[in-house]
Amino acid sequence: MNLYKEQELVRKAMNATLSGLREDPYLKARILADAKQEKPVLKKLSVFAVTAALLVVSITAVLAAGLFSSIGQLYRLNGKPERDEITRNIQQVHERYEGNAACCELTGTVYDPAGGVYALSWTLTPLYEGDSLYVVLDSITMGGEPADTRSGIHATGYFLKKETDCSVAGELPESGGTECEITFSILRPSGEIVKVSAPDGEAGAETEKRYRNMLAAGQLPMEGDGWIYCHTGKGGENLSYSDQLLETGLMELTDRFTLKADIGTAGVHETRTYACQETFVSDGYEIRIRSCLVTPFTAKLEIECMTDTRPEDTANGTGTKLKLKVEVPGTEIWSRNQSLTQSCPVLMEDGRWSTLFALDAQALLVFPEAFRFTAGFHDGARFADCSGAVTIRLTDQ
Amino acid sequence: MDTVNDQDWYEERLERMVNLYQLPLLRLCYAFLHDEEMAKDAVQETFIKAYRNMDRFRETASEKTWLSRIAVNTCRDMRKAGWFRHTDRSITPDMIPEPVSPPEPEEENLTLAIIRLPPKLREVALLCWFQGMTYSEAAEVLGISFQAVGSRLNRARQKLRSYMEGCEDHESV
């Protein structure tokens, strides 16, 4: 059964069962009487209010520009005209921790509940010049629920040499909580750091054995991306990464701290809806964009895919797998899907199969008049080249 | 437009909205609160909040989505009240206001199954199925992600299926 059928069934059932709840003329009268005593928000602003508002906007823009370096860097926006779009969505925070070896200040947050994403920026500074400190971001929670991270710059697993701008972006947990807690461990190695890489042809087990031998010899093997190997054997996988590092006995903890902020106090509530009435064909599949919501940080699309036969079983029995690319014509802005969910294929009355996809493209960062959507499919044997495209246009400002 | 005419315009618009949306909102709020008088209070509160904030409403957005968002938040606030949480809110068929004509048994069962769903699942079920919203609209109203709407709706389907097959009791509301 598809969504429309479900809607029809539920509406009919609920309207029949709840038909005893009827329009109440007294309720209407109460509402209108209450309204007469209320004052709606007036549209007109005085010259003073307009001047004050402009001043606030200007000050906010200047302050936000200081925060822009890290979150803007995360979104690769430096020097691009769309930076204003994102800058005004950064909320300033000034949560600070000063510990034994480092100080940290949370500087900016982005909270986009419609897009289901967040971003955080902070500055980390070593207190003593020449100190060797290894930074581990232990966890980020929102409303007590762990929040997934998608990308970051100097977020975790690196040596802190000087004052560093850091940032991370990720998905908000379903709970919708806005109380953010970010926990760090700052470690100081007592063992020798040795840069390592697996020689060509070396099996994983051999690499692991080599690394273990290094740990036993008092050396900390550090891979090319700055990650230090630390698996301490049975039971070690139940520890956090920072605790595993401590378990090696070759690191000491200088600081462990949690910074807290309510990131929802100035959330992003700017959204646009887009639509495309036409269906298009990609790789033999008929596709229709059912809905499209764009926030400054994401584009979320609901897509219906019609097929003559049940889609190939390539995703645990839930049908075919779709990939997408969205592009803003005339610019270099593009994004691929960051996440995808799909419903089970449903057999329609006309004998065709309908599969619904929910797709999420990260960081579109602009509200263009239109963008280009290109689709391709995994057909079980190969990932087909993107072969069908359509333009999705703004419907609502 | 001067201020007096503005107010007239707002009041006319409010009256039109009450005529159009009172009934669907009343049923929506009842499904959340399981109490006719509380549902009426929630509807009244919804329209007054809408009236206060009418200037913020974007002309091109859906009035129904906007009002539903206010109604859902109003019901959530009412549900948070201490006395609400300490009152038995389980619902049986005889507690539902007497229908104009008797519904089919399966219609009554489906309605009860939906309004007995756990709150988070009930919210998406009511918005997507009863209010006819798209995933995006429901996500906007509830302030959750598009994916969360899809996954909650799937969980709601599973719960309803179990309930209709009589193999599972619903979580208490």
Side-chain angles (χ1 to χ4, degrees):
Chain A
M1 186 183 296
N2 66 17
L3 188 62
Y4 298 121
K5 289 272 178 196
E6 286 174 339
Q7 286 172 344
E8 200 181 315
L9 190 71
V10 169
R11 269 192 217 145
K12 187 167 174 288
M14 288 192 66
N15 284 331
T17 312
L18 301 179
S19 60
L21 286 167
R22 278 173 267 175
E23 281 184 2
D24 180 348
Y26 297 107
L27 175 60
K28 181 180 169 183
R30 281 206 315 259
I31 293 166
L32 297 177
D34 275 2
K36 283 196 185 298
Q37 292 169 12
E38 291 275 344
K39 291 229 184 303
V41 177
L42 297 178
K43 279 182 177 175
K44 289 178 182 172
L45 288 172
S46 66
V47 173
F48 172 77
V50 170
T51 311
L54 285 174
L55 195 62
V56 169
V57 169
S58 310
I59 292 169
T60 308
V62 168
L63 291 174
L67 308 176
F68 182 77
S69 56
S70 50
I71 289 186
Q73 203 181 359
L74 178 68
Y75 286 107
R76 294 178 178 82
L77 280 175
N78 296 338
K80 294 190 177 174
E82 55 275 17
R83 61 185 285 168
D84 291 345
E85 196 72 63
I86 195 167
T87 304
R88 70 164 179 260
N89 287 302
I90 298 173
Q91 177 194 338
Q92 292 175 75
V93 283
H94 295 290
E95 288 296 313
R96 186 179 164 86
Y97 167 87
E98 183 159 338
N100 301 315
C103 74
C104 182
E105 185 170 8
L106 204 54
T107 52
T109 70
V110 168
Y111 175 67
D112 178 359
V117 295
Y118 72 92
L120 301 171
S121 67
W122 63 94
T123 306
L124 255 176
T125 313
L127 293 180
Y128 306 104
E129 202 176 327
D131 202 357
S132 175
L133 299 172
Y134 191 67
V135 177
V136 178
L137 195 170
D138 286 320
S139 66
I140 297 175
T141 61
M142 304 283 172
E145 294 285 320
D148 290 336
T149 56
R150 280 176 174 172
S151 54
I153 292 177
H154 295 131
T156 188
Y158 66 96
F159 279 96
L160 182 68
K161 307 276 187 201
K162 56 179 182 179
E163 182 177 309
T164 305
D165 287 331
C166 319
S167 53
V168 72
E171 283 177 55
L172 291 167
E174 272 191 30
S175 67
T178 59
E179 285 291 327
C180 170
E181 294 193 1
I182 179 165
T183 302
F184 297 92
S185 292
I186 310 292
L187 307 164
R188 184 183 288 128
S190 53
E192 180 193 3
I193 303 291
V194 180
K195 290 183 182 173
V196 290
S197 61
D200 285 346
E202 185 176 88
E206 289 169 37
T207 308
E208 187 160 323
K209 190 177 171 188
R210 188 158 58 88
Y211 289 175
R212 280 173 191 261
N213 289 339
M214 290 174 70
L215 285 174
Q219 294 177 320
L220 286 160
M222 185 174 80
E223 295 172 350
D225 57 2
W227 204 251
I228 294 177
Y229 178 84
C230 62
H231 183 61
T232 52
K234 199 175 178 184
E237 63 272 18
N238 294 326
L239 300 173
S240 68
Y241 178 54
S242 58
D243 283 337
Q244 285 186 42
L245 287 168
L246 291 170
E247 280 282 299
T248 63
L250 301 172
M251 289 257 191
E252 63 175 8
L253 184 68
T254 66
D255 293 291
R256 181 170 280 168
F257 56 93
T258 299
L259 294 175
K260 298 177 185 178
D262 185 352
I263 67 167
T265 53
V268 177
H269 296 290
E270 214 176 345
T271 60
R272 302 281 191 280
T273 53
Y274 289 71
C276 174
Q277 301 304 326
E278 57 193 289
T279 57
F280 71 110
V281 174
S282 175
D283 206 36
Y285 298 84
E286 188 183 306
I287 295 170
R288 186 166 69 92
I289 312 291
R290 285 176 52 141
S291 68
C292 176
L293 175 79
V294 177
T295 79
F297 299 93
T298 58
K300 290 175 172 296
L301 296 101
E302 191 180 12
I303 298 154
E304 185 171 31
C305 169
M306 300 296 296
T307 50
D308 290 334
T309 55
R310 187 185 169 94
E312 288 295 321
D313 183 4
T314 58
N316 298 325
T318 54
T320 190
K321 194 168 183 177
L322 178 72
K323 69 173 180 178
L324 74 85
K325 183 179 183 183
V326 290
E327 296 166 283
V328 181
T331 73
E332 293 177 357
I333 298 167
W334 65 275
S335 178
R336 289 192 189 281
N337 53 297
Q338 295 289 316
S339 63
L340 175 148
T341 54
Q342 64 190 83
S343 66
C344 286
V346 174
L347 184 61
M348 309 295 284
E349 281 172 355
D350 63 0
R352 302 175 77 202
W353 290 83
S354 163
T355 310
L356 279 181
F357 295 90
L359 296 160
D360 183 354
Q362 190 187 13
L364 206 57
L365 303 168
V366 286
F367 293 121
E369 285 299 310
F371 61 89
R372 193 90 176 140
F373 171 94
T374 314
F377 288 89
H378 199 295
D379 63 5
R382 67 198 167 87
F383 219 61
D385 287 337
C386 293
S387 57
V390 73
T391 299
I392 303 175
R393 296 187 186 286
L394 182 65
T395 59
D396 160 27
Q397 300 226 33
Chain B
M1 218 175 2
D2 62 24
T3 305
V4 175
N5 285 340
D6 272 353
Q7 191 145 352
D8 287 346
W9 182 83
Y10 283 130
E11 284 175 13
E12 281 167 22
R13 184 170 181 181
L14 176 69
E15 187 167 358
R16 184 184 56 77
M17 288 199 303
V18 174
N19 290 337
L20 272 176
Y21 301 114
Q22 184 196 143
L23 191 56
L25 286 179
L26 185 60
R27 289 178 180 168
L28 178 74
C29 293
Y30 180 82
F32 273 107
L33 300 167
H34 301 176
D35 182 295
E36 186 175 353
E37 287 312 310
M38 284 184 72
K40 284 181 179 173
D41 286 349
V43 169
Q44 184 175 347
E45 184 72 19
T46 298
F47 281 115
I48 293 302
K49 284 178 182 168
Y51 179 71
R52 277 185 208 140
N53 295 289
M54 219 172 258
D55 199 50
R56 292 189 208 165
F57 174 65
R58 289 171 297 160
E59 294 288 339
T60 47
S62 156
E63 258 179 11
K64 190 177 172 186
T65 306
W66 180 55
L67 289 169
S68 299
R69 182 210 295 260
I70 300 173
V72 167
N73 286 329
T74 303
C75 290
R76 279 176 168 180
D77 288 345
M78 289 171 88
R79 290 176 55 89
K80 281 181 197 161
W83 59 269
F84 187 97
R85 283 186 273 120
H86 291 102
T87 310
D88 180 11
R89 292 282 157 199
S90 55
I91 190 162
T92 53
D94 56 300
M95 292 162 70
I96 294 176
E98 192 177 348
V100 177
S101 58
E104 298 292 331
E106 57 269 28
E107 289 177 336
E108 187 174 77
N109 285 341
L110 178 60
T111 303
L112 279 172
I114 289 171
I115 64 183
R116 284 172 175 169
L117 282 168
K120 281 186 176 181
L121 306 188
R122 194 188 326 156
E123 286 173 354
V124 288
L126 288 171
L127 294 181
C128 291
W129 293 334
F130 183 52
Q131 299 286 84
M133 290 185 187
T134 64
Y135 282 23
S136 307
E137 287 170 335
E140 191 185 347
V141 167
L142 297 173
I144 59 175
S145 72
F146 190 82
Q147 284 81 10
V149 171
S151 96
R152 286 184 195 179
L153 212 51
N154 273 337
R155 275 156 53 207
R157 275 190 199 100
Q158 286 164 8
K159 285 255 175 205
L160 290 181
R161 202 170 293 130
S162 306
Y163 176 82
M164 300 302 273
E165 287 166 5
C167 20
E168 188 190 355
D169 287 326
H170 277 213
E171 291 173 32
S172 66
V173 292

